[in-house]
Amino acid sequence: MTPEQLSASILAALRTLMLKGQLQLVELPELVNVERPKNREHGDWATNVAMQLSGKFGVKPREFAERLQAELIHAEGVERVDIAGPGFINVFVSDAAAGALAKVIVEAGNAYGRGSELSGVKLNLEFVSANPTGPIHLGGTRWAAVGDSLARVLAFAGAQVTREYYFNDHGAQVDRFARSLLASARGLEAPEDGYSGDYIGEIAQRVLAETAEDILALDDGLAQEKFRLAGVDLMFGQIRESLHHFGVDFDVFFHENSLYESKAVEKSLTKLTELGHTFEAEGATWLRSTTFGDDRDRVVIKSDGDAAYIAGDIAYYQDKRSRGFDRCIYMLGADHHGYVPRMMALCAAFGDTPGVNMEILIGQLVSLVRDGEPVRMSKRAGNVVTMEDLVDAVGVDAARYALARSSINSTLDIDIEQLSKKTNDNPVFYVQYAHARTKQVSKNAAALGVDLSEFDPGLLSHPSEAELISKLSEFPRLAAQAAEFREPHRVARFIEEVAGSYHRFYDNCRVTPMGENPVESVHRTRLWLNNAATVVLANGLELLGVSAPERM
């Protein structure tokens, strides 16, 4: 029995009570809340529907629960209904009703757990957006893993998700990058505010080799512009290749410079002026952001006529909304905490709702360690650890899983030694091994004549079977929560629990007969449960962008 099925049974019982005149006629919700109790001795399912709805019926919660108890006990699959405290209802279901879920899961396949909570929502998710001035560092790698997983989770909840990369090709950092390339090509030290690392020399030499004219014969201004155009293109090509190898592909690569070339910055500021949210002072144009909760007003056009950085943010947000996105989620680094109020202010200035039309997620720092000590920095990238460094050390699957399994609100140390182990101490190995084991069990079953021709859920009565069924039933709710709270790490922690439940089932309940014993109904039924575990583990790993191997 699924939570949705029990919810339907509860609502049906309430309708019957209303028809019998035992409850007054009121409008019922489409669903009622049904959850697993923390202590399974209290029941298979629990609901606080009495506290939620008793007021609408004009009765006390306990009395409401007692009336519902008397009717719900007759529902198919319900064995017992208990009432606790002021009106909490605990429901015990039969083994057959509980075990029936195994077949539901297998038949649903990769659709099991998929929701509709965000159906119809057009959502823009911007993440990574590293400057095209060097390889992706470890912080950006964390955003790549978490962002792509979040996109999958949101789509699983029904949203129409667009993955977007904001290409910072306008501003001082790109000029410093160009100067660094030019200096390297001329055999000079990197500028004091420039970039270093072997990759600078590699790109500079590629620019020289792939450009027909003699760039170094040009004056510094022209040469720098040549290096800027070609160097940024080459660097960004490497970034896109690294991301693709990491399993992360974007739908849109948005160029910051296009906001200035298209006059989008001017247009968005004109709109804010028309709305009365800008003012002139000290020769500059300001956004009256304090009106919308910011700690101070912000300069958008400086006194020298140049646009401040926030001007691009204003235009970019407006561009996203003009493309029809209902919600715009920004994933920003740990150094952007102070940036949130001004972003929310500009959202509100356009008449939108902060936290709804615009959401900002801030991620904490991540570091690489071996034996408890920080890993030596990458020579190629200068003083940072890159995506390539991590992937070379542990592989794509382990890297993605390790970065996605922790809350972005916590700092993270990635232990190379642990992620390289082929033991249960390594979380990704533990989960992948469980999936591979389910596939091997299915293969062995086929070889011994155990098939899916029979299903008697009442036979799934062993405690380890009940535990696994219970855990598998939680996947739809868990996936929905991961989407609601923007927390894909919930999926990783959940499938680790599923893996643990499956391993205990494997140790206690044979899917295949011993020796020369015949194949029985219980073996065929257990194969359904085994394959249901396959589905949930595979679906969970897919949401994290991690492979589900069939053998290890």
Side-chain angles (χ1 to χ4, degrees):
M1 178 177 287
T2 67
E4 293 76 18
Q5 289 171 332
L6 181 54
S7 173
S9 295
I10 291 171
L11 291 171
L14 291 176
R15 293 188 190 96
T16 300
L17 290 170
M18 288 191 291
L19 289 173
K20 289 180 177 180
Q22 296 179 25
L23 287 174
Q24 66 182 25
L25 294 174
V26 302
E27 184 177 351
L28 295 174
E30 293 184 5
L31 288 172
V32 297
N33 183 51
V34 174
E35 294 183 340
R36 290 287 185 186
K38 292 181 179 179
N39 186 341
R40 287 304 304 281
E41 293 181 358
H42 294 165
D44 296 298
W45 299 102
T47 178
N48 61 352
V49 64
M51 271 70 76
Q52 287 182 320
L53 299 183
S54 59
K56 295 180 69 172
F57 290 95
V59 297
K60 294 180 179 180
R62 181 82 187 192
E63 181 183 348
F64 178 90
E66 290 171 350
R67 295 183 191 182
L68 178 57
Q69 176 190 37
E71 188 63 39
L72 186 59
I73 192 63
H74 302 299
E76 183 178 356
V78 174
E79 282 197 339
R80 194 171 105 211
V81 181
D82 290 347
I83 301 173
F88 291 102
I89 298 174
N90 297 317
V91 180
F92 296 80
V93 301
S94 67
D95 290 337
L101 180 66
K103 189 173 184 181
V104 171
I105 293 172
V106 173
E107 291 178 342
N110 60 16
Y112 178 66
R114 192 175 295 277
S116 58
E117 299 84 3
L118 295 176
S119 180
V121 175
K122 189 175 181 183
L123 192 151
N124 181 286
L125 180 63
E126 183 206 331
F127 59 106
V128 183
S129 297
N131 291 334
T133 54
I136 298 177
H137 56 67
L138 206 51
T141 307
R142 185 180 195 181
W143 271 145
V146 174
D148 187 63
S149 297
L150 179 57
R152 294 164 184 258
V153 166
L154 293 168
F156 203 64
Q160 182 183 339
V161 181
T162 294
R163 294 168 172 83
E164 186 150 320
Y165 189 113
Y166 188 52
F167 185 32
N168 300 86
D169 56 349
H170 181 90
Q173 78 278 0
V174 175
D175 293 334
R176 292 197 298 271
F177 178 62
R179 291 200 304 273
S180 301
L181 294 176
L182 177 58
S184 176
R186 294 190 180 208
L188 304 174
E189 291 292 325
E192 187 175 339
D193 62 347
Y195 298 90
S196 58
D198 290 353
Y199 78 96
I200 290 292
E202 294 168 7
I203 292 178
Q205 291 306 310
R206 280 192 61 186
V207 172
L208 292 175
E210 297 175 14
T211 304
E213 64 183 310
D214 183 1
I215 301 178
L216 296 182
L218 302 173
D219 64 58
D220 282 355
L222 290 174
Q224 181 177 315
E225 180 62 15
K226 295 288 185 181
F227 275 106
R228 187 185 74 82
L229 293 173
V232 166
D233 188 56
L234 289 172
M235 187 71 258
F236 194 60
Q238 289 186 18
I239 290 173
R240 291 180 68 163
E241 184 178 343
S242 296
L243 287 166
H244 177 73
H245 179 62
F246 199 58
V248 179
D249 293 298
F250 287 85
D251 303 299
V252 174
F253 288 96
F254 190 95
H255 289 257
E256 179 186 7
N257 206 44
S258 69
L259 295 170
Y260 296 87
E261 294 176 344
S262 67
K263 307 297 184 184
V265 170
E266 295 177 18
K267 294 174 184 176
S268 62
L269 295 182
T270 297
K271 182 173 181 179
L272 286 176
T273 299
E274 292 172 350
L275 291 170
H277 300 320
T278 65
F279 65 94
E280 304 292 327
E282 302 173 7
T285 302
W286 300 66
L287 172 65
R288 205 181 302 276
S289 51
T290 52
T291 302
F292 306 101
D294 198 0
D295 59 346
R296 58 189 175 89
D297 294 326
R298 304 288 174 174
V299 174
V300 289
I301 300 296
K302 295 182 285 189
S303 57
D304 61 5
D306 289 339
Y309 193 79
I310 193 175
D313 292 327
I314 292 170
Y316 185 38
Y317 175 68
Q318 270 298 94
D319 183 89
K320 288 181 177 182
R321 294 287 280 139
S322 70
R323 283 184 272 151
F325 292 110
D326 305 302
R327 303 184 188 180
C328 304
I329 300 178
Y330 296 74
M331 302 181 70
L332 305 178
D335 57 342
H336 284 74
H337 277 286
Y339 210 63
V340 176
R342 75 190 71 171
M343 291 291 287
M344 292 303 178
L346 72 86
C347 168
F350 284 114
D352 288 343
T353 305
V356 177
N357 301 112
M358 177 189 284
E359 297 178 49
I360 296 179
L361 307 178
I362 300 290
Q364 296 305 310
L365 299 175
V366 57
S367 59
L368 209 58
V369 299
R370 180 186 283 114
D371 297 326
E373 297 295 326
V375 169
R376 186 167 166 266
M377 298 305 184
S378 169
K379 178 182 177 183
R380 181 173 181 271
N383 63 345
V384 296
V385 178
T386 68
M387 176 182 285
E388 287 79 2
D389 295 330
L390 179 58
V391 170
D392 288 346
V394 302
V396 171
D397 277 350
R400 285 190 62 132
Y401 192 94
L403 290 166
R405 77 181 290 266
S406 296
S407 167
I408 61 171
N409 296 319
S410 61
T411 56
L412 181 62
D413 288 336
I414 299 295
D415 190 322
I416 291 178
E417 292 300 322
Q418 183 186 44
L419 287 180
S420 301
K421 292 179 180 178
K422 303 297 183 184
T423 68
N424 289 339
D425 293 335
N426 179 356
V428 66
F429 176 85
Y430 186 64
V431 173
Q432 288 184 316
Y433 179 67
H435 180 270
R437 176 175 265 186
T438 68
K439 299 298 287 189
Q440 187 60 48
V441 166
S442 182
K443 183 178 179 181
N444 293 343
L448 294 173
V450 180
D451 57 26
L452 299 175
S453 61
E454 189 176 1
F455 181 64
D456 183 356
L459 297 174
L460 299 175
S461 57
H462 190 278
S464 64
E465 293 170 327
E467 177 195 345
L468 180 56
I469 292 166
S470 172
K471 187 57 61 177
L472 299 179
S473 73
E474 295 175 20
F475 183 57
R477 177 182 60 83
L478 184 285
Q481 288 180 340
E484 178 185 359
F485 298 112
R486 316 304 194 228
E487 294 180 341
H489 73 272
R490 290 172 180 254
V491 176
R493 302 299 174 142
F494 172 75
I495 58 177
E496 288 169 28
E497 294 175 2
V498 171
S501 295
Y502 177 77
H503 289 313
R504 287 186 285 278
F505 161 74
Y506 177 89
D507 291 340
N508 288 284
C509 302
R510 292 190 59 86
V511 174
T512 56
M514 289 283 288
E516 298 299 321
N517 292 328
V519 174
E520 299 179 355
S521 297
V522 68
H523 300 120
R524 297 188 182 95
T525 301
R526 283 174 175 168
L527 180 59
W528 281 94
L529 181 53
N530 176 85
N531 292 1
T534 305
V535 169
V536 172
L537 289 167
N539 288 0
L541 287 167
E542 173 64 23
L543 290 179
L544 299 172
V546 176
S547 68
E550 297 198 1
R551 56 188 301 178
M552 292 183 70

